Amino acid sequence: MNKFWMMLVHTYGTKLKTKSFIVTTIILVAAIFLMANINKIISYFDGHEVKHIAVLDESNGVIFAPLKTSLAAIDKDIKLEKSGDDETALKKQVSEGKLDGYLVLSLDERQLPKAVYRSESSDSNTADRLKNALQTVKGQMVAGKLQLTSDRVALLNSPVSFEKVPLDRKAQSKEQQGAASALVYVLLIAIYMSVLMYANMIATEVAVEKSSRVMEILISSVSPIKQMFAKILGVGLLGLTQIIIAIAAGVLALQTNSEVLSFIKHFHISSMAASTIGYAIVFFLLGYFLYATLAALLGSLVSRVEDIQQMVLPMTFLVVIGFMVSMYGMNQPDAAFVTVASYIPFFTPMIMFMRYGLLGIPTWKVLVGIAIMIVSIIILAVMGARIYRGGVLMYGTSSSLKNIKTAFLLTKKEPTSERKKNIPF
């Protein structure tokens, strides 16, 4: 057992000091601070940019004054300036950069406002804000034609009273569903990224040792089975370290931005049930061990680092498919094929938790999914151990999945007396 812990610590310590891990962690922390302060960055570059829009009013002043008032209440970064020039002169001013665009106002056959906005570029943001302001003006004019008082207009625009009451008493509340939805997104991304990063790292580690012939030395003192699980746990601890650093950076970044912090509070994280957080941790760990074990045995089948990507491609496809089904299920979590996919072990950690978070499915269904994953991990670990034992002794240029059969045959062969002394099979 001492040799197992030595290999685990060695795997963790070696990867922790690599430039790739350090650079990736720095980029991750920088990205977290960037996303937490993205609103400040955007406002710094264009928050104070004032758009100067000339207005060619063909409605004899009927629209311009209320439109300017309405726009000032919505957006103060757009300045409307009434112009007496014709369109030819206005086009020239826009092309010369003196104006950001010009707006032609007029009345239709029903004496309601209409407008045409022209600018040098496709400035859809400014156009949308002008449209919203003009829509408000139109509503005021229609209300005036119908002789509606302000109270009646407010009554007309007030939202309908609609309440959703679940018959199941155990069903999650609206606040809990909002918090669960946010956690589902986090878990989906975490599993997706951890499999692509850390599972591939395990496969690459095995292939590197084989390509450098270090494996021939290792198997003389440490069982290949211990090697496999030492690498899985070592890289897992490495990923946990990076996740802890990311969480700490996220908490620190949120303290510097009260706007983002108040936005997150809208998800009612504090109302999240403890069972939801517990299931998120369980599914994340089970998902990691499932794919990590698969990556370790796939890595033992190749002898060159160049062949890793081809060998782990089927595993990557499984992760991508599970992620895509989960994202679809965010809109239709009760779809039949989503339910079926949640019981397929390679998709269970993402889809089953998504169903629990959004639908509040019974606990026994979640436990069935967890049991399926545990059984799958055990089966995969037993098979992986045998394949790994024979795979680490295979050398060559082939990177086909047919090597699994060869690895099994090598495992079944009786070792020589010398191998029995050196290799604790």
Side-chain angles (χ1 to χ4, degrees):
M1 185 59 67
N2 290 334
K3 295 180 180 180
F4 170 81
W5 290 108
M6 287 177 61
M7 288 203 65
L8 189 152
V9 173
H10 177 266
T11 301
Y12 174 75
T14 302
K15 290 295 182 182
L16 188 66
K17 299 176 183 178
T18 57
K19 291 183 179 180
S20 60
F21 176 79
I22 296 174
V23 172
T24 303
T25 304
I26 293 175
I27 294 176
L28 179 62
V29 172
I32 291 174
F33 274 92
L34 178 65
M35 294 303 297
N37 296 277
I38 191 67
N39 58 332
K40 293 182 178 180
I41 296 174
I42 294 175
S43 62
Y44 176 79
F45 284 101
D46 63 359
H48 301 288
E49 182 182 356
V50 178
K51 299 285 187 179
H52 295 277
I53 309 297
V55 177
L56 185 58
D57 190 3
E58 298 178 352
S59 66
N60 298 322
V62 176
I63 305 176
F64 178 74
L67 176 62
K68 190 173 182 178
T69 303
S70 176
L71 184 62
I74 298 175
D75 196 328
K76 296 181 179 180
D77 292 333
I78 299 180
K79 300 297 183 182
L80 297 182
E81 301 171 358
K82 196 171 183 180
S83 175
D85 298 330
D86 56 11
E87 286 200 53
T88 303
L90 292 177
K91 287 180 181 179
K92 184 178 180 181
Q93 294 179 44
V94 172
S95 62
E96 292 175 352
K98 296 179 181 180
L99 293 174
D100 294 294
Y102 68 92
L103 185 68
V104 180
L105 299 177
S106 61
L107 296 172
D108 61 13
E109 62 277 3
R110 296 175 297 177
Q111 296 301 302
L112 294 177
K114 67 177 183 177
V116 177
Y117 175 66
R118 292 184 172 91
S119 62
E120 191 73 15
S121 60
S122 56
D123 190 359
S124 58
N125 189 24
T126 302
D128 289 341
R129 286 180 284 182
L130 290 172
K131 180 180 178 181
N132 292 335
L134 190 63
Q135 183 68 39
T136 302
V137 174
K138 179 183 178 182
Q140 295 171 352
M141 295 178 66
V142 171
K145 290 178 178 295
L146 297 177
Q147 298 182 350
L148 297 178
T149 63
S150 58
D151 294 338
R152 292 180 178 180
V153 173
L155 181 62
L156 180 64
N157 295 328
S158 62
V160 65
S161 177
F162 185 86
E163 184 179 0
K164 179 182 177 183
V165 180
L167 296 176
D168 187 0
R169 295 182 179 180
K170 296 182 180 180
Q172 295 181 338
S173 64
K174 182 179 179 180
E175 290 77 13
Q176 290 177 329
Q177 287 182 345
S181 298
L183 188 58
V184 166
Y185 274 113
V186 173
L187 181 66
L188 292 180
I189 296 174
I191 292 180
Y192 183 77
M193 296 302 297
S194 63
V195 170
L196 293 183
M197 291 176 59
Y198 306 122
N200 279 280
M201 189 182 297
I202 294 173
T204 303
E205 179 75 7
V206 177
V208 168
E209 290 179 351
K210 288 185 65 178
S211 62
S212 61
R213 298 287 178 168
V214 175
M215 192 64 70
E216 296 177 356
I217 301 175
L218 290 175
I219 61 175
S220 64
S221 57
V222 183
S223 168
I225 312 305
K226 293 181 180 179
Q227 293 179 37
M228 181 179 74
F229 288 104
K231 294 182 190 303
I232 292 174
L233 292 177
V235 175
L237 290 176
L238 185 74
L240 182 62
T241 302
Q242 201 166 48
I243 291 173
I244 292 175
I245 294 174
I247 293 175
V251 173
L252 182 61
L254 290 177
Q255 301 304 318
T256 63
N257 196 327
S258 57
E259 294 182 7
V260 177
L261 191 60
S262 60
F263 173 76
I264 293 178
K265 289 182 179 179
H266 287 296
F267 291 101
H268 303 281
I269 303 298
S270 59
S271 65
M272 186 181 301
S275 59
T276 304
I277 300 177
Y279 284 138
I281 297 174
V282 170
F283 279 119
F284 176 78
L285 293 176
L286 291 177
Y288 168 77
F289 280 108
L290 180 70
Y291 281 102
T293 306
L294 179 60
L297 71 90
L298 291 176
S300 68
L301 297 176
V302 299
S303 304
R304 302 184 308 171
V305 179
E306 294 83 358
D307 298 329
I308 283 293
Q309 294 302 322
Q310 179 181 348
M311 185 60 71
V312 300
L313 191 60
M315 182 185 71
T316 305
F317 281 150
L318 289 175
V319 180
V320 172
I321 293 172
F323 184 80
M324 293 178 65
V325 174
S326 300
M327 295 305 295
Y328 176 85
M330 293 291 290
N331 296 321
Q332 296 187 14
D334 55 348
F337 83 95
V338 174
T339 302
V340 173
S342 66
Y343 293 101
I344 299 176
F346 291 104
F347 305 149
T348 300
M350 291 182 280
I351 302 178
M352 183 63 76
F353 180 75
M354 179 270 298
R355 292 182 61 217
Y356 175 79
L358 300 184
L359 296 177
I361 60 176
T363 304
W364 69 267
K365 293 185 179 181
V366 181
L367 295 179
V368 169
I370 293 175
I372 290 175
M373 286 205 65
I374 293 176
V375 173
S376 300
I377 291 174
I378 293 174
I379 294 174
L380 194 59
V382 173
M383 293 179 58
R386 298 187 62 182
I387 295 173
Y388 189 94
R389 178 184 296 179
V392 295
L393 298 175
M394 293 171 50
Y395 291 93
T397 57
S398 176
S399 59
S400 171
L401 291 176
K402 295 179 181 179
N403 288 350
I404 294 177
K405 180 179 179 181
T406 306
F408 267 117
L409 294 177
L410 285 175
T411 304
K412 292 180 179 180
K413 288 184 178 180
E414 286 291 332
T416 61
S417 58
E418 186 65 26
R419 290 179 64 189
K420 285 183 177 180
K421 293 179 182 179
N422 297 329
I423 306 175
F425 284 174

